[in-house]
Amino acid sequence: MFTFGYKTKLSGIIRALLAIAIGLVMVIGADATRTVVRIIASFIIAAGVVSLIVGLTSSKDKAPLLTTANAVFDCILGLILFLNPSWFSGFIVVIIGVVLVLFGILQLIALTTTVSLLGGGRGFLLLSILAVLGGALLVFSPFSMTVMRILAGLFLLFYGVSELISTFRMNKAKEAYEIRYASDISNPRKEPETTVTDAKEAEFRKIDD
């Protein structure tokens, strides 16, 4: 069963809420691209701080220096983006397009898995398809920056809503999968017992010498 990206319900919900939040900013924000860059920078900084704390406190980490170095790099990169969003804002639409294509394809695969297990739900695939096609459009950027910004926000909203749906359907699909195959795993098939029903006792006759 395909579960990549959906190991936990929380990861899918976070992706969905982040996409919806950024999508709304892109649609209604006056200075949307810089705001989005700062939002992304904030998440990079937060991830770097968490990784830094884990790397310094976890005794199970086999490479604490590498983890710490990566965390410090994330924090520095996040700060640079946060303080200088204009450096990155010109590429944000294209980057959103690439992300939508990649995550949209994963979402399509996940939703297809839920259809085979739960039945129905094929209509939900339309939002994922729109997100993938929209992402491809954003990569080529055929319109003005203002139009592309609004389109990027709309496609992110499509993806965010579809991600919420796919997350909850994947959770149900995993439960259905476990229920369906639990008996096969816990009770392996036994060989049928053979019974002899037509057996007769042997008759002996005394033979005179």
Side-chain angles (χ1 to χ4, degrees):
M1 179 181 175
F2 181 87
T3 58
F4 182 79
Y6 296 91
K7 293 292 184 181
T8 63
K9 184 191 292 187
L10 184 61
S11 61
I13 293 175
I14 291 174
R15 284 197 304 271
L17 295 179
L18 181 60
I20 292 172
I22 295 177
L24 289 173
V25 171
M26 295 288 285
V27 171
I28 64 177
D31 194 13
T33 53
R34 295 191 180 194
T35 303
V36 169
V37 171
R38 285 195 171 103
I39 292 173
I40 295 173
S42 299
F43 274 90
I44 293 174
I45 293 170
V49 170
V50 172
S51 298
L52 183 62
I53 294 173
V54 171
L56 294 175
T57 59
S58 178
S59 59
K60 297 180 180 180
D61 196 341
K62 296 181 180 179
L65 292 178
L66 181 60
T67 303
T68 303
N70 288 335
V72 171
F73 175 79
D74 289 341
C75 291
I76 294 173
L77 176 63
L79 284 172
I80 292 174
L81 293 177
F82 190 87
L83 296 174
N84 301 279
S86 58
W87 293 357
F88 197 64
S89 59
F91 304 98
I92 190 64
V93 170
V94 175
I95 292 172
I96 290 175
V98 173
V99 170
L100 281 175
V101 170
L102 295 177
F103 281 91
I105 291 173
L106 292 177
Q107 192 182 89
L108 273 173
I109 299 172
L111 281 174
T112 303
T113 304
T114 66
V115 169
S116 63
L117 284 169
L118 302 177
R122 289 181 174 83
F124 297 134
L125 297 175
L126 180 60
L127 288 176
S128 299
I129 294 172
L130 285 174
V132 173
L133 294 178
L137 178 66
L138 295 178
V139 170
F140 294 103
S141 300
F143 305 115
S144 67
M145 187 62 187
T146 301
V147 174
M148 295 308 299
R149 171 178 62 80
I150 296 174
L151 287 176
L154 291 175
F155 292 134
L156 278 172
L157 290 174
F158 289 147
Y159 169 78
V161 173
S162 184
E163 184 68 13
L164 281 177
I165 294 170
S166 63
T167 297
F168 285 104
R169 282 185 63 85
M170 275 298 294
N171 189 56
K172 289 184 178 180
K174 286 190 287 186
E175 293 176 357
Y177 182 87
E178 291 171 359
I179 292 173
R180 180 178 298 182
Y181 296 103
S183 58
D184 296 337
I185 296 172
S186 58
N187 299 315
R189 190 168 62 182
K190 298 179 179 179
E191 293 294 331
E193 296 181 358
T194 56
T195 57
V196 180
T197 57
D198 298 330
K200 294 183 179 180
E201 294 184 1
E203 298 181 357
F204 296 94
R205 288 191 302 172
K206 183 178 181 182
I207 301 175
D208 295 332
D209 294 333

